[in-house]
Amino acid sequence: MTNSNHRHHRIDQTFLGATELDDELIKQLPKEVLLRVFSYLDVVSLCRCAQVCKYWNVLALDGSSWQKINLFDFQRDIEGPVIENISQRCGGFLKSLSLRGCQSVGDQSIKTLANHCHNIEHLDLSECKKITDNSVTDISRYCSKLTAINLDSCSNITDNSLKYISDGCPNLLEINVSWCDLVSENGIEALARGCVKLRKFSSKGCKQINDNAITCLAKYCPDLMVLNLHSCETISDSSIRQLAASCPRLQKLCVSKCVELTDLSLMALSQHNQQLNTLEVSGCRNFTDIGFQALGRNCKYLERMDLEECSQITDLTLAHLATGCPSLEKLTLSHCELITDDGIRHLTTGSCAAESLSVLELDNCPLITDRTLEHLVSCHNLQRIELFDCQLISRAAIRKLKNHLPNIKVHAYFAPVTPPAVTTGHRPRYCRCCEIL
C-alpha cells in the first residue's frame, strides 16, 4: 500500500470511528436532557429529529415534547387524521394548539382532540371553515382549563357555541369571534355571565353585536383590557360610556367603522380609562377636536392611534396630542383633509416627536406641503411615513428628509409625466414609458 493510500485509509477510519462515537455519545445523553432540548423545537425540527435514529424517534415523538403546536405553515395540507394522531400522542401534555387556516379539519378531529387533551389552554381554530357548534360542545365539555380560543371566520359558529363556552370554560380570558355572522347579543350575554374573568374580546365584522351585547360585557367582565368592535355599526355612545365606566383597566380599543359614535364616547374614555395605550377610530366621522382634546388631557400613555377618515379634526387635535401624549409611537391621519403643515409643526414640537414617534401616515391629506417634511426632520426616531396622494409634496423635499433621516422609509407616489403630443414626423414605435427604450 502506498503512503497516499495508507493516509486515505486512516482518514476513512477516523471519520467512520467519529460517526460511531457520536452515535454512542447521543445514546448516553440522559433522556431528560434530550427531552428538554426537544421542548424548544418547532414541529418541523421535531419531525426531522425523529428520523435520526430509533432512540431519537421515541423521544422526539414523546408527548411531552409537543406541548405547543403551531400547524399554520402547513395549513390546507393538514387532514383530520393528522390532528387525531397528534391528539392521541400528546394527550394531557398538549397546552397550546394552532390550526389557523387548516380548512380540512372538521368536527370529528376536534372531538378527538377534546377527548384526549383535557389540559389544553390556548386553541386557535381561526379560518377552520368546517368547524360547527358541535366542536365547541366537545371543547366545553372536556377542556375546562381553556383560557383562550380563536374562532375568527368560523362562519358556522352560532350563539350556542358561546353558551357552551360559558358553561364549561369559566377560566376563559380571551375569545375572538370576528366575522362569525351568526353571533348576536344573546350569545355575548351568555358568554359574559359565565366568563367573568374575560380580558380580551374581539367581534370584528359581527353586524349583530349591538349596545346590549357591549353593556353585558361591561356589566359582567370588569377586567376587560382589549376590545375590538371594528365594523359593529349599530353601537352607540351609551354602551361605550358604560364600558368606559365599568372597565377601568381597558388598554386597547378598536371602534373603527362604528359610525354612530360621537365625542361623548371619547370624553368618557378620557375620564375613566387613563391606561389606554391603543385607540383605533378609523371612519368615525362624528369625532371632533373636542373629543381628542379630552383624550390629550388625560390619556398620557397613548402609543398608537388610528384616526383615518376622522374628517372633522383639525390642527387643534394634533396640538392636544403633542402636549398630552408623550409616548405616541404610531399615528394615522390619512384622509383627515383639514390637517395642515401647522398641525404637523405642533406635533413635532411635542415630546413624542423627539423620543417616540416612529410611524406617521398622511395619505390623502391634500393641504400637506414640503413644509411638513421640514418639520419632521426633528423626529429622530421616525422610521416610516406615508404620503400617497399628497399632491403638494415634492421629490426634492423627500430627498432632503432622507438626508437628515437616512433610515426612514418614505412611501409616496408620483404619477408619470405625460409625454408631449407628437405633432410632426413619424409616430414613435414604442411609448415613452416602455422599458425597451
Side-chain angles (χ1 to χ4, degrees), residues 118 254 271 329 427:
H118 297 172
C254 175
Q271 182 179 355
E329 295 177 5
R427 191 176 68 176

Side-chain angles (χ1 to χ4, degrees), residues 168-417:
C169 307
N171 297 311
L172 196 72
L173 301 176
E174 305 175 20
I175 186 168
N176 187 342
V177 290
S178 296
W179 309 110
C180 294
D181 297 333
L182 302 178
V183 168
S184 73
E185 61 181 291
N186 296 326
I188 302 304
E189 180 177 2
L191 177 77
R193 286 177 178 273
C195 302
V196 297
K197 299 178 183 179
L198 206 62
R199 292 181 185 172
K200 296 183 180 181
F201 175 83
S202 179
S203 60
K204 185 176 181 179
C206 294
K207 304 297 185 183
Q208 295 191 66
I209 300 299
N210 56 17
D211 281 337
N212 290 336
I214 304 310
T215 301
C216 287
L217 285 172
K219 180 178 180 180
Y220 297 110
C221 306
D223 292 333
L224 267 176
M225 299 173 70
V226 180
L227 188 63
N228 189 338
L229 304 175
H230 193 297
S231 299
C232 297
E233 296 172 351
T234 64
I235 289 173
S236 71
D237 291 326
S238 62
S239 62
I240 298 300
R241 294 172 74 182
Q242 180 68 45
L243 178 79
S246 301
C247 303
R249 300 177 64 191
L250 194 65
Q251 294 181 7
K252 294 178 171 59
L253 176 65
C254 175
V255 288
S256 294
K257 302 294 191 268
C258 295
V259 293
E260 300 295 324
L261 299 183
T262 73
D263 286 333
L264 292 175
S265 289
L266 297 183
M267 294 169 76
L269 291 168
S270 71
Q271 182 179 355
H272 300 288
N273 306 107
Q274 278 83 34
Q275 301 301 312
L276 201 64
N277 64 47
T278 300
L279 181 64
E280 299 179 15
V281 294
S282 172
C284 296
R285 297 175 181 270
N286 295 324
F287 290 162
T288 73
D289 296 330
I290 295 173
F292 291 108
Q293 179 181 12
L295 284 175
R297 188 185 303 119
N298 295 326
C299 298
K300 62 181 180 180
Y301 298 110
L302 275 168
E303 296 176 0
R304 303 168 69 88
M305 297 186 72
D306 182 353
L307 312 187
E308 182 172 353
E309 294 183 356
C310 292
S311 53
Q312 292 195 58
I313 66 171
T314 72
D315 294 339
L316 280 175
T317 284
L318 299 189
H320 298 316
L321 296 181
T323 56
C325 305
S327 301
L328 200 58
E329 295 177 5
K330 180 179 179 181
L331 179 61
T332 299
L333 298 168
S334 300
H335 294 272
C336 295
E337 297 183 357
L338 302 179
I339 297 297
T340 73
D341 297 331
D342 203 41
I344 304 300
R345 182 182 61 79
H346 283 305
L347 190 66
T348 59
T349 57
S351 57
C352 71
E355 300 172 10
S356 306
L357 192 64
S358 61
V359 176
L360 182 61
E361 299 182 356
L362 298 169
D363 297 337
N364 291 93
C365 291
L367 303 180
I368 293 296
T369 75
D370 289 349
R371 293 291 300 277
T372 278
L373 302 194
E374 294 174 11
H375 296 319
L376 291 173
V377 168
S378 61
C379 299
H380 303 298
N381 289 318
L382 198 61
Q383 297 173 13
R384 176 167 61 86
I385 182 169
E386 304 280 338
L387 296 168
F388 289 108
D389 290 316
C390 293
Q391 302 289 334
L392 303 180
I393 296 289
S394 69
R395 286 187 174 91
I398 290 175
R399 284 195 296 269
K400 189 174 179 181
L401 178 65
K402 285 185 173 182
N403 287 337
H404 286 90
L405 303 173
N407 295 322
I408 193 172
K409 293 181 179 178
V410 180
H411 295 161
Y413 172 75
F414 296 91
V417 177

